[in-house]
Amino acid sequence: MGLSALTSLAGFAAFAAAAFSSQPSYSGQVDSERDEDYDLAFVGSARETGTLAPIPDVQVRAEMGKWRIMVRTNNEGVYKLYPSFGSDIKADQITISCAKDGYETVDVSRRQLSDKKVKELVVAECLMAPKP
Protein backbone atom coordinates (compact mmCIF):
# COMPACT_ATOMS: atom_id res chain seq x y z
CA MET A 1 0.00 0.00 0.00
CA GLY A 2 1.47 3.34 -1.05
CA LEU A 3 1.84 6.48 1.03
CA SER A 4 -1.04 8.14 -0.84
CA ALA A 5 -3.37 5.24 -0.06
CA LEU A 6 -2.35 5.26 3.61
CA THR A 7 -2.93 9.02 3.83
CA SER A 8 -6.37 8.63 2.25
CA LEU A 9 -7.23 5.75 4.58
CA ALA A 10 -6.10 7.73 7.64
CA GLY A 11 -8.15 10.73 6.49
CA PHE A 12 -11.24 8.58 6.01
CA ALA A 13 -10.75 6.98 9.44
CA ALA A 14 -10.46 10.42 11.07
CA PHE A 15 -13.60 11.61 9.26
CA ALA A 16 -15.53 8.49 10.27
CA ALA A 17 -14.43 8.82 13.90
CA ALA A 18 -15.52 12.46 13.98
CA ALA A 19 -18.85 11.67 12.35
CA PHE A 20 -19.65 8.82 14.71
CA SER A 21 -18.47 10.64 17.82
CA SER A 22 -20.83 13.52 17.04
CA GLN A 23 -23.83 11.18 17.08
CA PRO A 24 -25.86 11.37 20.30
CA SER A 25 -25.31 8.71 22.92
CA TYR A 26 -28.48 7.71 24.72
CA SER A 27 -26.65 6.10 27.63
CA GLY A 28 -27.25 7.94 30.87
CA GLN A 29 -29.61 10.51 29.43
CA VAL A 30 -32.80 11.17 31.31
CA ASP A 31 -34.59 12.88 28.43
CA SER A 32 -34.44 11.38 24.99
CA GLU A 33 -36.01 12.12 21.64
CA ARG A 34 -36.06 8.48 20.68
CA ASP A 35 -39.43 7.28 19.42
CA GLU A 36 -39.42 3.86 21.02
CA ASP A 37 -41.92 2.83 23.68
CA TYR A 38 -40.76 0.63 26.55
CA ASP A 39 -42.45 -1.67 29.04
CA LEU A 40 -39.99 -0.80 31.79
CA ALA A 41 -37.25 1.77 32.39
CA PHE A 42 -35.05 2.70 35.33
CA VAL A 43 -33.46 6.15 35.45
CA GLY A 44 -31.56 7.91 38.17
CA SER A 45 -28.17 8.92 39.45
CA ALA A 46 -25.38 7.98 41.81
CA ARG A 47 -24.45 10.59 44.43
CA GLU A 48 -21.99 10.82 47.27
CA THR A 49 -23.18 11.04 50.88
CA GLY A 50 -22.81 14.43 52.53
CA THR A 51 -22.13 16.54 49.43
CA LEU A 52 -24.55 14.81 47.04
CA ALA A 53 -21.90 15.26 44.36
CA PRO A 54 -22.53 13.13 41.26
CA ILE A 55 -20.37 10.03 40.89
CA PRO A 56 -19.42 9.15 37.31
CA ASP A 57 -18.67 5.64 36.03
CA VAL A 58 -20.76 3.80 38.63
CA GLN A 59 -21.93 0.36 37.52
CA VAL A 60 -25.73 0.19 37.85
CA ARG A 61 -27.09 -3.33 37.70
CA ALA A 62 -30.65 -4.58 37.19
CA GLU A 63 -31.06 -8.19 38.34
CA MET A 64 -33.85 -10.71 38.32
CA GLY A 65 -32.83 -14.23 39.18
CA LYS A 66 -30.01 -15.26 36.83
CA TRP A 67 -30.64 -12.32 34.46
CA ARG A 68 -28.54 -9.16 34.69
CA ILE A 69 -28.26 -5.95 32.71
CA MET A 70 -25.58 -3.38 33.50
CA VAL A 71 -24.92 0.22 32.51
CA ARG A 72 -22.58 2.91 33.83
CA THR A 73 -23.38 6.42 34.94
CA ASN A 74 -22.20 9.25 32.71
CA ASN A 75 -19.95 12.17 33.75
CA GLU A 76 -22.92 13.74 35.58
CA GLY A 77 -23.60 10.54 37.54
CA VAL A 78 -26.81 9.86 35.57
CA TYR A 79 -27.94 6.58 33.99
CA LYS A 80 -30.86 5.15 32.02
CA LEU A 81 -31.49 1.42 31.89
CA TYR A 82 -34.06 -0.58 29.90
CA PRO A 83 -34.20 -4.14 31.25
CA SER A 84 -35.58 -6.56 28.69
CA PHE A 85 -36.48 -9.49 30.92
CA GLY A 86 -39.91 -9.90 29.28
CA SER A 87 -43.11 -7.90 28.91
CA ASP A 88 -44.75 -9.66 31.88
CA ILE A 89 -41.99 -8.60 34.32
CA LYS A 90 -42.84 -5.78 36.74
CA ALA A 91 -40.45 -3.24 38.25
CA ASP A 92 -40.81 -4.61 41.80
CA GLN A 93 -39.42 -7.96 40.60
CA ILE A 94 -36.12 -6.34 39.65
CA THR A 95 -33.32 -5.45 42.05
CA ILE A 96 -31.22 -2.35 41.31
CA SER A 97 -27.71 -2.11 42.75
CA CYS A 98 -24.77 0.26 42.31
CA ALA A 99 -21.04 -0.42 42.59
CA LYS A 100 -17.77 1.43 42.16
CA ASP A 101 -14.28 0.76 43.48
CA GLY A 102 -13.59 2.94 46.50
CA TYR A 103 -17.30 3.35 47.37
CA GLU A 104 -19.94 1.43 49.27
CA THR A 105 -23.66 1.68 48.65
CA VAL A 106 -25.55 3.29 51.54
CA ASP A 107 -29.04 3.27 49.99
CA VAL A 108 -30.92 2.73 46.73
CA SER A 109 -34.20 4.62 46.83
CA ARG A 110 -36.98 3.97 44.32
CA ARG A 111 -40.06 5.85 43.26
CA GLN A 112 -42.38 5.26 40.36
CA LEU A 113 -43.29 7.99 37.87
CA SER A 114 -45.67 8.07 34.94
CA ASP A 115 -44.47 8.58 31.39
CA LYS A 116 -46.32 8.26 28.10
CA LYS A 117 -43.47 6.28 26.48
CA VAL A 118 -42.86 3.85 29.35
CA LYS A 119 -45.43 1.59 31.00
CA GLU A 120 -43.38 1.50 34.23
CA LEU A 121 -40.83 4.27 34.84
CA VAL A 122 -38.85 3.94 38.06
CA VAL A 123 -36.40 6.50 39.41
CA ALA A 124 -33.74 4.62 41.37
CA GLU A 125 -31.21 6.83 43.12
CA CYS A 126 -27.98 5.40 44.54
CA LEU A 127 -26.42 7.05 47.58
CA MET A 128 -22.80 5.99 48.02
CA ALA A 129 -20.11 6.69 50.59
CA PRO A 130 -16.35 6.67 50.02
CA LYS A 131 -14.73 3.69 51.70
CA PRO A 132 -12.43 4.66 54.58
Side-chain angles (χ1 to χ4, degrees):
M1 187 178 280
L3 184 59
S4 173
L6 283 175
T7 304
S8 296
L9 184 59
F12 176 75
F15 172 77
F20 286 116
S21 68
S22 66
Q23 296 298 316
S25 170
Y26 298 108
S27 171
Q29 293 181 355
V30 175
D31 295 320
S32 173
E33 295 179 8
R34 298 173 81 182
D35 291 332
E36 297 139 13
D37 291 335
Y38 296 94
D39 289 329
L40 182 57
F42 289 89
V43 298
S45 64
R47 302 211 172 260
E48 193 171 297
T49 56
T51 64
L52 297 180
I55 307 172
D57 202 35
V58 172
Q59 182 185 73
V60 180
R61 182 185 296 193
E63 294 182 83
M64 192 187 94
K66 64 180 180 177
W67 297 337
R68 290 177 185 86
I69 296 177
M70 294 172 273
V71 296
R72 293 197 178 271
T73 59
N74 65 13
N75 287 338
E76 298 167 354
V78 176
Y79 75 92
K80 194 168 198 177
L81 190 147
Y82 298 103
S84 54
F85 299 146
S87 60
D88 57 334
I89 302 302
K90 303 295 179 203
D92 60 358
Q93 295 174 274
I94 297 173
T95 301
I96 299 293
S97 61
C98 297
K100 182 172 179 162
D101 286 341
Y103 286 88
E104 59 187 2
T105 302
V106 174
D107 185 46
V108 178
S109 64
R110 295 167 65 135
R111 67 183 186 278
Q112 193 143 353
L113 299 178
S114 57
D115 187 289
K116 61 184 176 185
K117 291 190 176 225
V118 181
K119 290 180 186 173
E120 278 191 277
L121 176 62
V122 177
V123 176
E125 303 284 351
C126 297
L127 187 60
M128 304 179 78
K131 288 183 179 177

